[in-house]
Amino acid sequence: MGNLKRKTILLGISGGIAAYKMCDLARQLVRASYNVKVIMTQHAAKFVGPATFRSLTGNPVALDLFDDPAAPINHISLAEEADLFLIAPATANVIAKLAHGRADDLLTTTALAYQGQLLVAPAMNTQMYLDSVTQENLATLTARGAQLIGPASGELACGDSGPGRMVEAQTLFGIIEDSIQTSDWLAGKKVLISAGSTQEYLDPVRYLTNRSSGKMGTALTRAALQAGAEVQLVLGPASAAVPVDKRLACTRVVTADEMCAAMISFALEANLIICSAAVSDYRPAKKASIKIKKRQSQLGQTNQQDTQVLELVQNPDILAKLGRMKIEKTLKADTILVGFAAETNNLEDNAQAKLERKGADYIIANDVSRADIGFESTENEVRIFSKAAPEADTLLPKTSKTQLARQILQRVYPLS
Ligand code: CTP
């Protein structure tokens, strides 16, 4: 525990009245033996003087990209040194800059260079917070892996009342403590994740696929990296952004057969395997080597006699193959195998059946008939079914896929 407490917490403070709450947070963190470094924007320095944070933390306060020509390049060294980066208060302007990768001051430049766990506590007027642009920017940050804290609702400095208040220092302190104490519980572990869809070709230009965006799988990848794991991602076609990290290897595949071969080759080394890909269950029985042509008809007429029947054959069930390898003890003895279940009906029965049929330790079930969660969405809600107690599932309520990914990992591979 003593070792955990010496971690460096980087506080990025932007220009809002809630900056004063950060004095209390800095004091609490220092008391808990964290090394606290502070970056302030020029506007933040108008609310609270840098000297206050210097006194509270015992460290110089970084204000400008060109603070000290003799020092190492500040935004890079701060980004590398930090075990956790909290931006609070985060104004609408700073949130917009973070969402779009603008780096025009020390705080935003450091945020762009920083690859670890980013917490963001918004603070602004209610209308600014509720504006669709701000909401889109916040959704972008969440999708990229940032964890949003608050805002709370209540009376605001401008006289309005509603959502927009920065959460209290005590809340921020608790979340930092939780994040740090579990921050590297997967260190030394190898995690194998499948994500995205697969494409099954009929001819060189046409394929069967599904709506998976790969967002849940890439969120799991990010969460595993943040927890200190080495991750092998096997990614089918997907629109989700893949994190850049030296502990991540990403193998791109297209078809279910390719995904299956890759997953099986990496499985032997893995401590935790998560099959989150939406694998196409079937592929065309034959793939034409040249583009399939339609039968031509009279000019401007549709040829009603030209019908096509598509014959499909089953693809390998990758999760079930891995389940079999686990039973046959081909995998490491303590490998945990996790599958997903995308259901539109009878979620509970189907998920329990999949646990058994696929030999998985856990099935993470989600309702893909709901428009607000699941496929393509940035949010999800899941029920976790376990082999140990199939009847007693756990609900993880609707939240961002980023937060959910972390909660799923904590459930299926708890800190021992
Ligand atoms: N899966 C797999 N290989 C397949 C199909 C699915 O590895 N060919 C995995 C998925 O990655 C997921 C789990 O099996 O972890 C369940 O996938 P899902 O699509 O919900 O179920 P299916 O097995 O396809 O069954 P059904 O279509 O009957 O619901």
Side-chain angles (χ1 to χ4, degrees), residues 194 256 259 274-282 314-322 338-343 350 354 357-358 363-364:
S194 75
M259 185 174 275
I274 306 179
C275 294
S276 71
V279 186
S280 190
D281 287 329
Y282 298 93
Q314 260 196 27
N315 269 328
D317 189 318
I318 306 167
L319 178 58
K321 275 184 182 284
L322 293 167
V338 181
F340 272 71
E343 305 297 342
N350 287 334
K354 277 177 194 173
R357 203 168 68 229
K358 308 211 181 211
I363 287 287
I364 318 290

Side-chain angles (χ1 to χ4, degrees), residues 152-172:
S153 268
E155 206 178 304
L156 302 171
C158 58
D160 280 3
S161 190
R165 270 175 75 87
M166 191 177 91
V167 298
E168 299 304 318
Q170 190 58 38
T171 306
L172 293 173

Side-chain angles (χ1 to χ4, degrees), residues 91 103 111 134 139 157 247 292 312 337 345 347 358 387:
T91 59
T134 304
R247 280 182 285 109
I292 300 167
L312 302 174
L337 183 59
N345 55 303
L347 183 138
K358 308 211 181 211
K387 186 170 78 179

Side-chain angles (χ1 to χ4, degrees), residues 7-11 29 34-37 83-84 176 180:
K7 302 243 170 175
T8 296
I9 310 295
L10 182 58
L11 301 178
L29 290 169
Y34 290 104
N35 179 29
V36 180
K37 298 252 169 132
D83 293 293
L84 183 146
I176 290 174
I180 284 289

Side-chain angles (χ1 to χ4, degrees), residues 62-207:
L63 280 165
D64 194 85
L65 277 166
F66 306 100
D67 276 346
D68 179 0
I73 304 172
N74 225 357
H75 59 285
I76 304 295
S77 60
L78 286 167
E80 282 177 353
E81 193 186 353
D83 293 293
L84 183 146
F85 189 6
L86 165 69
I87 301 183
T91 59
N93 181 41
V94 160
I95 287 167
K97 289 202 268 182
L98 295 174
H100 295 278
R102 282 203 66 177
D104 62 356
D105 60 11
L106 185 60
L107 194 155
T108 48
T109 312
T110 307
L112 198 55
Y114 177 71
Q115 294 300 313
Q117 198 181 353
L118 180 66
L119 308 184
V120 177
M124 67 197 75
N125 159 275
T126 300
Q127 299 314 323
M128 290 169 79
Y129 173 69
L130 294 177
D131 192 281
S132 59
V133 175
T134 304
Q135 290 299 316
E136 275 168 30
N137 289 336
L138 289 168
T140 303
L141 288 184
T142 311
R144 233 182 268 143
Q147 183 182 342
L148 298 184
I149 308 172
S153 268
E155 206 178 304
L156 302 171
C158 58
D160 280 3
S161 190
R165 270 175 75 87
M166 191 177 91
V167 298
E168 299 304 318
Q170 190 58 38
T171 306
L172 293 173
F173 178 77
I175 291 173
I176 290 174
E177 279 265 279
D178 283 353
S179 302
I180 284 289
Q181 281 173 15
T182 58
S183 66
D184 43 16
W185 92 97
L186 288 179
K189 302 292 178 199
K190 292 198 161 118
V191 179
L192 171 61
I193 298 174
S194 75
S197 63
T198 65
Q199 292 175 349
E200 313 296 333
Y201 279 79
L202 280 73
D203 71 11
V205 293
R206 301 180 179 99
Y207 54 78

Side-chain angles (χ1 to χ4, degrees), residues 277-298:
V279 186
S280 190
D281 287 329
Y282 298 93
R283 65 175 182 277
K286 285 191 291 261
K287 179 184 164 191
S289 59
I290 53 171
K291 189 181 167 203
I292 300 167
K293 290 290 191 186
K294 66 175 179 229
R295 232 180 295 149
Q296 299 305 319
S297 53
Q298 296 282 328

